[in-house]
Structure formats: structure tokens, C-alpha cells
Amino acid sequence: MGHLGVLLFLLGGLGALADICEIPQVDSKLVERLGQRLLPWMDWLSLEHLNPSIYVGLRLSSLQAGAREAFYLHILKLSYQRSLLGLTFNDDNSDYQDKPSMGQLALYLLALRANCELVEGRKGDRLVSQLKRFLEDEKKAIGHNNKGQPHTSYYQYGLGILALCVHQKRLHDSVVGKLLYAVEHEQHLHQGHLSVDTVAMAGLAFTCLEYSNLNPNRKHQITRAIENIREKILKAQTPEGYFGNVYSTPLALQLLMKSSMPGVELGTACLKARAALLASVQDGAFQNALMISQLLPVLNGKSYVDLISPDCEAPRVMLEPVVETPSPPQEVIRVVLKVPSVSPPYINSISVPAGSSLEDVLKKAQKLRGFMYGTQNTLSGPFLTSVMGKESGEREFWQLLRAPDTPLLQGIAEYTPKDGETIELRLATW
Ligand code: B12
């Protein structure tokens, strides 16, 4: 090979490299600061606040919480098994409502796998059957003609398939088929615009199935669906570099990472997404524990699919709790709170200290009378379920917007309105 040949060969090699989605290491102090935000959550041990996603995120990260982490898994097991398998001491029906949902059960199974456990034995079999039953029910809700919708969401449907797959539990082709259909006929996944989170989760489930070859009859369809999803996600990249938005980028990267797409500048797209993510981490955009738990694996080059064979011996840095210094008293700001979709419509200007969350604004408005709201705790934090006594119905939700028409990217506990801002609560469908 002449000089020119060598040069072309090297350039070709570099080009091929650029097609692979790789996330180079990030500053370890930045990662540690993110991990530290999870620690207070690990002291919150009621069933309502237990969050298997936090455990999964930590185990797939470069960080550990030592005895705290082990204790957290122990409590997760006690609480989840008790409420799922009915191993309660006072067996009344009152805690029925506390039963974990399909997605929560799936995350619990991921947490077990993150500790290198496989669901086995009588208890394990019952958990697996329960998750399979959930998926069968959802399959029925979607229906033979695929016209229906799952009771939960396609996000949870994908999560359920992924969790069984990392435990090498086989699902009927028809259950996988519903998710394949939804991805192929995108409009079934969402109304309006693409939910990058949902397709990324489906992609993670399919990647696990492809790797484990659990549904050989669907092999080609699965491979095509993964390609299709990768293309969709790449198309959803914003000028700043996010796939979808800042909060869907971690799951999108979990899917794209380590993959390659011939003829596509995947490497460049991923580096751009990484840069955008790091800038927003530095800006403090990652306060939510669930979001941090989806991001930490990415910063350690891992994805949920790695739970097929997790590395439980990998060295991880011990997290030290930080002592928060109380912030000095803040100036007062005014936020306009608006609820046009009730009659009579509600509008009021609320004064709160700068840096208050939207939840603080809602609390203050309620205290001042004339405003009412209700929340339900979820793995993402408090979810607004009712406003002025009006509960959101089936496939409805109380959407949070900054006037005139910008949906917020954070929930009521994290969003901090600025002085003079107008926040609208709008009953919307999804
Ligand atoms: C499906 C979904 C929805 C559905 C939920 C309905 C349903 N029956 O499933 C709908 C469309 C209603 C919804 C609404 C909102 N969502 Co949403 N949602 C999701 C999604 C795709 C999956 C959630 C899930 O099933 N998790 C798995 C199960 C096992 O966990 P879970 O805790 O039991 O699930 C419940 C909660 O997640 C809750 N929920 C859904 N979204 C949100 C958002 C917040 C802030 C909270 C507190 C709760 C919550 O609904 C789930 C079902 O009950 C996630 C994506 C992701 N990466 O997590 C985004 C996501 C969590 N949502 C997000 C946002 C911003 C919202 C809204 C605030 C948007 C808005 N401007 O109004 C609203 C919530 C407003 C409110 N009333 O409090 C962001 C949160 C980012 C962050 N910083 O935390 C995410 C990450 C999407 C994104 N990439 O932007 N969402």
C-alpha cells in the first residue's frame, strides 16, 4: 500500500469510528454531585416513596452507596413482595391501592437483576407470572385490530418486556407483536408528536430480545424495529443536540450507545447530545431523582440492556453525603396562576420567595383560598391529579404550561417559576 493508500485507509477507519455512538468519560466530580442527590431519597423508605429506578441507576453507575444501597434493596424486597404477593400481616383490602403498577413491578425486577439476582423459586415465579399477566391484559386492551390503547402506556409495556427479557423469561410472540405494531404504526404510540422516551424504551426492550433471541420467529421484525427506532430518534435531534428534549436524551443515548449505523454520522450526533446534556447538568437541570437514575448509567457507558449480564464486581466510587447549607432569605417574586378550563376560570397573582417551586406557588394559592389542588406520588415525584376539585379523567391530565403555550419540562416539585411569569394549568388529553 502506498502513502496515499495508508492515508485513505486511516481516514476510512476514522470515518467508521465516527459512525459508532460512544460517550467519552465525563468529569468524575460532576457525576459524583449527581449521585449525591440520590442519597436523601434512599432514606425515604415508605412504599409510596420507594423507587426501584434509583437502585437500578446507581448499580449501573460508577458510584455506590455502600451499606445504604444494600439496605435499600432489602427494604425494596420486603415492601414489593409484601404488596405484590399479598404477604401482609393485616390482610384487609385497604392497601390494595398501594399495589405497584406494571411498570413499577418491571423496575423492581430490573433492580433485582442489577444486584445479579435472577427471579427464581416460588416467589420469583409468582412475580414473573404477575408481570406476564399484566402484559396479557394490556395486549387485550390494545385488541386484535390494534385499535385500543394499553391501560398504562406503551412506555410501561416496553419496560415490562425489557424486565422479563433481562431475566431471560420468554413472552408469547403476540405480546411482543403489539409493541412491534405500535412502533411500525407510529401514530399508536402518541398523539401529535413522537415520544422519544417511549420509543427508546421499546428499543431497549427489542435490543434485549434481539440479543437473547427469545422470540426467534420475530427476529427480523425486531431487527427492523430497532433500526426504525434509531432513525426516529436521530431525526428527533434538536439544534442544541437533545434527542427529543433534555429529559428524553438519557434513555435515547442508552439505546444508541455502542450501536453503529452504516452511512449515518451517529458518532457526531451522540457527541453533540453528550455536550448538550453536560451543559444542562451544569446548569442544574437534573434535580429529579428519576431523571438522574436514567442518566447515571449513560455517564458510565451502560444501558438497561447490560442487565442481561450485569457486572456486580465492577469497582464503584463511594458516595459521601453532603451537608446542605441553608440559602439566605430571598426576595419576593410574583407568579400569575391561571386555570381557564374550570368555571368560573381561576386567575390570581401569587407572591412567593424567589427560587420557590411551582408546588410552593400552588400551596400558597391554596392557603390564600379560592384555589384547590391534589397530587399523587409517583416515581417522578408529585403528579398533579386534580385542580379546583376537577380530577383528570381517562387519558386526560393536568398539563403544566408557561403562558402563552409552552409545556413545562419539569413537574410541580422541580419547576421554579421566574418573577412575573404566568403559569397555566390546562386539562389536556394524551
Ligand atoms: C407516560 C408519561 C406521561 C403520561 C402519564 C399518564 C400515564 N397513564 O402513563 C402523561 C402524558 C399524562 C404525562 C404527563 C406529564 N409529563 Co410525563 N412522562 C411519561 C413517560 C413517557 C413515562 C412515565 C412512566 O410510565 N414511568 C414508569 C412508571 C413505572 O413510573 P410511575 O412513576 O409509576 O409512572 C407515573 C409517573 O411517571 C406519572 N408521570 C408521568 N409524567 C410525569 C411527570 C412528572 C413531573 C411527574 C411528577 C409524574 C409523571 O405518570 C406515570 C403513570 O401513572 C415519562 C418518560 C420517562 N423518561 O420517565 C415522561 C416524563 C416523566 N414526563 C415528563 C413531563 C415533563 C410531564 C408533564 C409535567 C408535562 C407537562 N408540561 O404537563 C406532565 C405531568 C403534569 C402533572 N399533572 O403533574 C418528563 C419529566 C421530566 C422531569 N424533569 O422530571 C418526562 C421524563 C418526559 C420528558 N422527556 O420530558 N407523562
XYZ file of all heavy atoms in Angstrom, residues 101-105 107 151-153 155-156 159 195 197-198 245-249 251 285 288 290-291 294 376-385 396-401 406-412 414 430, ligand 1:
501
model
N -47.701 -0.768 40.131
C -48.246 -0.905 38.782
C -47.353 -1.843 37.970
O -46.296 -2.265 38.436
C -48.268 0.463 38.115
O -46.927 0.921 37.997
N -47.766 -2.098 36.727
C -46.966 -2.960 35.848
C -45.530 -2.422 35.709
O -44.563 -3.178 35.849
C -47.624 -3.032 34.469
C -46.787 -3.797 33.467
S -47.666 -4.154 31.959
C -47.539 -2.605 31.107
N -45.424 -1.128 35.476
C -44.099 -0.532 35.278
C -43.251 -0.589 36.536
O -42.041 -0.784 36.478
N -43.902 -0.420 37.678
C -43.150 -0.461 38.939
C -42.656 -1.870 39.225
O -41.520 -2.065 39.666
C -44.005 0.071 40.088
C -44.144 1.587 40.002
C -45.285 2.137 40.836
O -46.096 1.387 41.365
N -45.351 3.447 40.926
N -43.512 -2.859 38.934
C -43.087 -4.251 39.096
C -41.903 -4.540 38.163
O -40.921 -5.183 38.550
C -44.268 -5.193 38.807
C -43.973 -6.678 38.660
C -43.260 -7.225 39.884
C -45.269 -7.470 38.432
N -39.693 -2.388 37.040
C -38.489 -1.732 37.573
C -37.927 -2.506 38.765
O -36.716 -2.592 38.958
C -38.807 -0.286 37.978
C -38.915 0.706 36.818
C -39.480 2.035 37.288
C -37.555 0.927 36.152
N -53.891 0.121 29.141
C -54.402 0.887 30.286
C -53.322 1.800 30.831
O -53.595 2.914 31.244
C -54.832 -0.057 31.416
C -55.932 -0.975 31.013
N -57.171 -0.510 30.652
C -55.984 -2.324 30.917
C -57.932 -1.542 30.337
N -57.238 -2.663 30.490
N -52.079 1.314 30.844
C -50.986 2.156 31.358
C -50.453 2.973 30.181
O -51.015 4.022 29.878
C -49.882 1.297 32.014
O -49.380 0.352 31.072
C -50.410 0.576 33.231
N -49.411 2.510 29.543
C -48.867 3.227 28.386
C -47.928 2.280 27.650
O -47.501 1.263 28.211
C -48.079 4.458 28.846
O -47.010 4.053 29.686
N -44.984 2.964 27.081
C -43.713 3.076 27.808
C -43.623 1.925 28.823
O -42.633 1.202 28.886
C -43.660 4.435 28.517
C -42.381 4.683 29.296
C -41.306 5.335 28.716
C -42.263 4.269 30.626
C -40.136 5.569 29.422
C -41.100 4.497 31.345
C -40.053 5.148 30.732
O -38.891 5.372 31.448
N -44.697 1.750 29.593
C -44.686 0.685 30.608
C -44.724 -0.695 29.959
O -44.190 -1.656 30.504
C -45.854 0.861 31.577
C -45.704 2.091 32.455
C -46.566 2.049 33.717
O -46.855 0.990 34.252
N -46.961 3.219 34.184
N -41.220 -1.399 29.089
C -40.482 -1.652 30.326
C -40.757 -3.075 30.832
O -39.845 -3.779 31.280
C -40.939 -0.619 31.361
C -40.141 -0.407 32.634
C -38.701 -0.070 32.340
C -40.773 0.734 33.458
N -42.925 10.518 21.106
C -42.375 10.456 22.449
C -41.071 9.671 22.387
O -41.080 8.448 22.254
C -43.343 9.786 23.421
O -42.630 9.393 24.584
N -38.952 9.150 24.704
C -38.820 8.238 25.855
C -39.463 6.890 25.539
O -38.902 5.838 25.832
C -39.538 8.793 27.086
C -39.096 10.190 27.441
O -39.567 11.138 26.781
O -38.290 10.338 28.347
N -40.666 6.948 24.958
C -41.424 5.717 24.716
C -40.754 4.846 23.661
O -40.596 3.644 23.869
C -42.875 6.074 24.281
O -43.444 6.859 25.334
C -43.707 4.832 24.056
N -36.175 15.940 24.022
C -35.819 17.059 24.893
C -34.721 16.608 25.854
O -34.268 15.460 25.792
C -37.058 17.627 25.623
C -37.654 16.638 26.620
O -36.954 15.819 27.231
N -38.964 16.702 26.801
N -34.312 17.512 26.722
C -33.182 17.184 27.615
C -33.451 15.917 28.413
O -32.550 15.093 28.620
C -32.831 18.410 28.515
C -34.042 18.981 29.199
C -31.783 18.056 29.559
N -34.722 15.705 28.832
C -35.011 14.586 29.729
C -35.250 13.254 29.004
O -35.309 12.212 29.652
C -36.189 14.936 30.642
C -35.870 16.145 31.490
C -36.542 17.361 31.301
C -34.853 16.097 32.432
C -36.219 18.482 32.062
C -34.519 17.215 33.184
C -35.208 18.396 32.996
O -34.872 19.497 33.739
N -35.437 13.292 27.693
C -35.548 12.012 26.987
C -34.180 11.584 26.440
O -34.001 10.439 26.032
C -36.584 12.098 25.848
O -36.423 13.270 25.103
N -33.216 12.518 26.468
C -31.891 12.221 25.903
C -31.165 11.067 26.628
O -30.551 10.232 25.954
C -31.045 13.511 25.859
O -31.797 14.492 25.135
C -29.718 13.297 25.165
N -32.356 8.256 28.006
C -32.858 6.956 27.522
C -32.487 6.753 26.054
O -32.128 5.653 25.634
C -34.374 6.859 27.676
C -34.924 6.485 29.051
C -36.425 6.319 28.985
C -34.275 5.214 29.594
N -30.115 21.301 35.594
C -31.394 20.791 35.073
C -31.753 19.425 35.665
O -32.910 19.031 35.643
C -31.329 20.692 33.553
N -34.276 15.976 39.507
C -35.235 14.918 39.769
C -34.521 13.563 39.879
O -33.744 13.179 38.997
C -36.247 14.912 38.616
C -37.340 13.904 38.834
O -37.112 12.709 38.748
N -38.522 14.388 39.147
N -35.539 10.502 39.561
C -35.803 9.529 38.496
C -34.979 9.858 37.249
O -34.400 8.979 36.612
C -37.290 9.491 38.135
C -37.552 8.395 37.126
C -38.091 7.160 37.804
C -38.414 8.835 35.998
N -34.929 11.162 36.945
C -34.149 11.583 35.782
C -32.670 11.281 35.976
O -31.993 10.811 35.061
C -34.348 13.093 35.558
C -35.673 13.447 34.965
S -35.791 12.747 33.328
C -36.907 11.414 33.529
N -31.889 7.710 35.310
C -31.824 7.298 33.899
C -30.541 7.808 33.239
O -30.056 7.244 32.257
C -33.057 7.792 33.134
C -34.342 7.149 33.643
C -35.609 7.545 32.887
O -35.609 8.462 32.070
N -36.707 6.869 33.181
N -50.692 13.038 43.404
C -50.470 11.625 43.683
C -48.971 11.394 43.583
O -48.337 11.907 42.656
C -51.204 10.806 42.618
C -51.132 9.320 42.841
C -51.556 8.567 41.584
O -52.384 9.056 40.817
N -50.952 7.419 41.365
N -48.428 10.664 44.535
C -46.988 10.465 44.469
C -46.636 9.423 43.416
O -47.303 8.408 43.296
C -46.448 10.070 45.832
C -44.990 10.426 45.911
O -44.616 11.561 45.621
N -44.159 9.467 46.213
N -45.591 9.690 42.640
C -45.146 8.729 41.627
C -43.626 8.649 41.713
O -43.014 9.370 42.498
C -45.511 9.200 40.202
O -44.671 10.316 39.860
C -46.963 9.611 40.080
N -43.031 7.799 40.894
C -41.571 7.667 40.915
C -40.897 8.953 40.435
O -39.734 9.192 40.727
C -41.124 6.484 40.040
C -41.720 5.122 40.403
C -41.118 4.032 39.531
C -41.510 4.793 41.867
N -41.643 9.779 39.693
C -41.084 11.057 39.242
C -41.362 12.185 40.224
O -40.957 13.312 39.994
C -41.673 11.447 37.886
O -41.165 10.619 36.880
N -42.105 11.892 41.288
C -42.446 12.933 42.256
C -43.941 13.178 42.260
O -44.713 12.378 41.734
N -44.395 14.319 42.849
C -45.830 14.574 42.930
C -46.437 14.925 41.572
O -45.987 15.862 40.908
C -45.923 15.754 43.903
C -44.587 16.408 43.853
C -43.585 15.359 43.500
N -47.424 14.151 41.172
C -48.110 14.313 39.888
C -49.425 15.020 40.191
O -50.190 14.578 41.052
C -48.351 12.911 39.323
C -49.016 12.856 37.978
C -48.331 13.214 36.833
C -50.329 12.413 37.860
C -48.930 13.131 35.589
C -50.936 12.332 36.618
C -50.234 12.696 35.478
N -49.685 16.130 39.495
C -50.894 16.908 39.735
C -52.101 16.150 39.186
O -52.185 15.904 37.981
C -50.741 18.264 39.025
C -51.785 19.316 39.290
C -51.785 19.740 40.749
C -51.529 20.543 38.403
N -53.028 15.757 40.059
C -54.160 14.932 39.599
C -55.476 15.702 39.578
O -56.385 15.349 38.836
C -54.364 13.707 40.518
O -54.350 14.167 41.865
C -53.293 12.676 40.305
N -56.704 11.742 30.257
C -56.618 13.199 30.426
C -55.529 13.474 31.449
O -55.224 12.615 32.269
C -57.926 13.725 31.033
C -58.989 14.101 30.056
C -60.209 14.684 30.783
O -60.292 14.638 32.022
O -61.077 15.173 30.080
N -54.944 14.659 31.427
C -54.034 15.043 32.505
C -54.001 16.554 32.640
O -54.389 17.278 31.723
C -52.619 14.484 32.256
C -51.842 15.181 31.161
C -50.721 15.951 31.460
C -52.214 15.061 29.827
C -49.986 16.581 30.470
C -51.485 15.685 28.820
C -50.369 16.447 29.141
N -53.592 16.990 33.818
C -53.436 18.428 34.036
C -52.061 18.828 33.522
O -51.050 18.503 34.131
C -53.611 18.775 35.515
C -55.054 18.853 35.898
C -55.777 17.911 36.556
C -55.944 19.934 35.607
N -57.076 18.327 36.696
C -57.217 19.568 36.130
C -55.825 21.172 34.962
C -58.338 20.399 36.030
C -56.942 21.988 34.858
C -58.177 21.604 35.378
N -52.089 19.510 32.375
C -50.828 19.897 31.748
C -50.312 21.200 32.365
O -51.104 22.102 32.663
C -51.061 20.085 30.239
C -49.790 20.258 29.453
C -50.061 20.464 27.966
O -51.118 20.975 27.580
N -49.109 20.094 27.142
N -49.001 21.280 32.544
C -48.387 22.485 33.099
C -47.785 23.286 31.951
O -47.008 22.735 31.167
C -47.274 22.115 34.089
C -47.530 20.932 35.034
C -46.282 20.634 35.867
C -48.708 21.217 35.947
N -48.158 24.551 31.866
C -47.634 25.382 30.770
C -47.156 26.726 31.283
O -47.685 27.250 32.273
C -48.705 25.639 29.709
C -49.327 24.416 29.065
C -50.789 24.312 29.458
C -49.194 24.472 27.566
N -46.204 27.197 26.314
C -45.021 26.331 26.366
C -45.157 25.294 27.472
O -45.125 25.650 28.648
C -43.749 27.177 26.631
O -43.752 28.273 25.716
C -42.495 26.351 26.460
N -45.324 24.007 27.110
C -45.414 22.987 28.158
C -44.119 22.944 28.969
O -43.031 23.052 28.403
C -45.592 21.675 27.374
C -46.011 22.077 26.007
C -45.439 23.440 25.764
N -44.257 22.827 30.281
C -43.068 22.746 31.126
C -42.419 21.385 30.961
O -43.089 20.393 30.706
C -43.443 22.951 32.603
C -44.146 24.246 32.967
C -44.341 24.320 34.487
C -43.350 25.450 32.481
N -41.120 21.362 31.133
C -40.383 20.098 31.029
C -40.106 19.503 32.396
O -39.391 18.521 32.522
C -39.050 20.317 30.298
C -39.154 20.765 28.852
C -37.761 20.896 28.240
C -39.979 19.768 28.044
N -40.659 20.128 33.436
C -40.478 19.601 34.783
C -41.811 19.577 35.504
O -42.749 20.264 35.115
C -39.506 20.495 35.563
C -38.076 20.376 35.088
C -37.191 21.408 35.732
O -37.462 22.599 35.656
N -36.123 20.962 36.359
N -41.875 18.796 36.569
C -43.102 18.695 37.348
C -43.215 19.813 38.370
O -42.305 20.658 38.473
N -44.301 19.780 39.146
C -44.550 20.884 40.082
C -43.476 20.980 41.165
O -43.184 22.055 41.650
C -45.953 20.794 40.741
C -46.137 19.455 41.452
C -47.054 21.016 39.719
C -47.389 19.425 42.328
N -40.240 20.464 40.895
C -38.930 20.946 40.452
C -38.963 22.271 39.712
O -37.993 23.012 39.733
C -38.248 19.928 39.531
C -37.399 18.943 40.285
C -38.066 17.606 40.370
O -38.792 17.273 39.413
O -37.930 16.913 41.396
N -54.114 12.993 26.206
C -52.838 12.468 25.685
C -53.066 11.188 24.925
O -54.135 10.614 24.991
C -51.834 12.245 26.803
C -52.220 11.240 27.840
C -53.102 11.412 28.881
C -51.763 9.887 27.967
N -53.209 10.279 29.624
C -52.395 9.320 29.097
C -50.868 9.098 27.229
C -52.174 7.998 29.499
C -50.648 7.797 27.642
C -51.291 7.261 28.771
C -46.292 8.315 30.069
C -45.785 9.669 30.550
C -46.723 10.678 30.806
C -48.235 10.427 30.769
C -48.635 9.671 32.076
C -50.016 9.014 32.065
C -49.984 7.502 32.092
N -51.093 6.923 32.429
O -48.980 6.855 31.823
C -48.777 11.901 30.708
C -48.952 12.287 29.241
C -50.069 12.198 31.452
C -47.577 12.694 31.277
C -47.705 13.958 31.803
C -46.631 14.774 32.155
N -45.345 14.505 31.987
Co -44.696 12.721 31.541
N -43.917 11.080 31.042
C -44.384 9.888 30.730
C -43.248 8.889 30.457
C -43.117 8.713 28.936
C -43.400 7.507 31.129
C -43.765 7.535 32.627
C -43.857 6.131 33.181
O -44.772 5.392 32.880
N -42.887 5.694 34.002
C -42.782 4.321 34.514
C -43.662 4.081 35.745
C -43.406 2.687 36.287
O -43.321 5.008 36.761
P -44.508 5.746 37.593
O -43.879 6.776 38.444
O -45.380 4.767 38.233
O -45.274 6.448 36.364
C -46.155 7.529 36.550
C -45.445 8.874 36.606
O -44.324 8.859 35.748
C -46.510 9.836 36.115
N -45.891 10.928 35.344
C -45.761 10.980 34.025
N -45.100 12.084 33.689
C -44.789 12.716 34.835
C -44.089 13.899 35.050
C -43.887 14.340 36.349
C -43.085 15.577 36.564
C -44.421 13.598 37.442
C -44.229 14.080 38.839
C -45.124 12.403 37.212
C -45.281 11.989 35.905
O -47.378 9.065 35.261
C -46.982 7.682 35.276
C -48.193 6.797 35.226
O -49.001 6.975 36.347
C -42.014 9.651 31.084
C -40.671 9.301 30.424
C -39.542 8.968 31.365
N -38.339 9.079 30.854
O -39.712 8.616 32.521
C -42.447 11.127 30.881
C -41.892 12.237 31.800
C -41.699 11.669 33.193
N -42.917 13.293 31.812
C -42.426 14.470 31.872
C -43.192 15.667 31.994
C -42.422 16.964 31.972
C -44.582 15.632 32.142
C -45.509 16.851 32.428
C -45.019 17.732 33.575
C -45.676 17.654 31.107
C -46.464 18.959 31.272
N -45.879 20.065 30.838
O -47.563 18.989 31.737
C -46.860 16.133 32.728
C -47.212 15.994 34.235
C -48.058 17.130 34.748
C -48.736 16.836 36.063
N -50.045 16.694 36.023
O -48.110 16.758 37.111
C -40.907 14.446 31.851
C -40.341 14.708 33.264
C -39.010 15.422 33.264
C -38.543 15.756 34.645
N -37.777 16.802 34.744
O -38.827 15.111 35.618
C -40.629 13.032 31.243
C -39.298 12.417 31.637
C -40.754 13.168 29.696
C -39.735 14.084 29.074
N -38.699 13.536 28.473
O -39.890 15.264 29.079
N -46.450 11.988 31.169
